[in-house]
Amino acid sequence: MLEGLLWLPLLVIFVVLTALGWLERRRQALFHRWAAGSELAKLDAAVAMRLRDGHISWGPVGPKGVELAEDIAVNHLEICELMADRSGDVPLTDEACGPCRLRLVAEGRSLDIPFSDAVRARLWVDELMSRVCCQL
């Protein structure tokens, strides 16, 4: 009886990890379905983004798919810069890592998109700007 009680926490941990893995796999499948046919797509812990047909769209991944928060036309884009996450309007430094946000300014409005990793955010913004420059 005592040996069975010792294995019970491991069984609970296994069930929880299996459930979390299944949820993440489902989240990724919903993102891949939403991003199909996009020129550029990104799935982050906070948000999903894509560049498709000259529009950048993003939103959180919910139980039924990506719930679009915003959509912006690339040809209206004025500024695209990475900002520090918690420091107000301070641009992100080159050596910074951790959470940050992408600020897009277009048509007089400023939109902030959260990123969970600054290194990947820099790579994604570089790729985005290389593709957007062709469309501007």
Side-chain angles (χ1 to χ4, degrees), residues 7-134:
W7 285 98
L8 187 61
L10 291 176
L11 178 63
V12 170
I13 291 171
F14 175 76
V15 170
V16 168
L17 288 176
T18 303
L20 290 174
W22 180 83
L23 288 173
E24 180 61 23
R25 184 174 170 96
R26 183 170 184 269
R27 179 177 173 266
Q28 289 179 6
L30 290 170
F31 166 73
H32 285 295
R33 191 175 316 135
W34 177 73
S38 299
E39 300 168 40
L40 185 62
K42 173 202 79 80
L43 177 62
D44 195 62
V47 71
M49 286 183 71
R50 73 177 175 191
L51 171 64
R52 184 178 190 177
D53 300 329
H55 286 270
I56 301 171
S57 53
W58 65 92
V61 181
K64 295 183 180 180
V66 177
E67 302 161 4
L68 284 180
E70 286 285 340
D71 184 79
I72 189 168
V74 169
N75 56 1
H76 295 141
L77 195 61
E78 298 167 13
I79 299 173
C80 177
E81 61 184 347
L82 285 173
M83 308 295 285
D85 189 36
R86 297 186 180 111
S87 301
D89 290 335
V90 178
L92 192 70
T93 61
D94 289 337
E95 57 274 346
C97 58
C100 65
R101 56 196 159 97
L102 172 63
R103 175 165 290 168
L104 300 176
V105 177
E107 300 174 335
R109 62 185 179 146
S110 176
L111 305 164
D112 287 341
I113 305 165
F115 276 80
S116 63
D117 183 25
V119 176
R120 290 185 182 166
R122 277 189 209 90
L123 295 173
W124 200 82
V125 168
D126 291 344
E127 184 70 23
L128 174 68
M129 294 313 294
S130 70
R131 293 177 189 244
V132 166
C133 289
C134 299

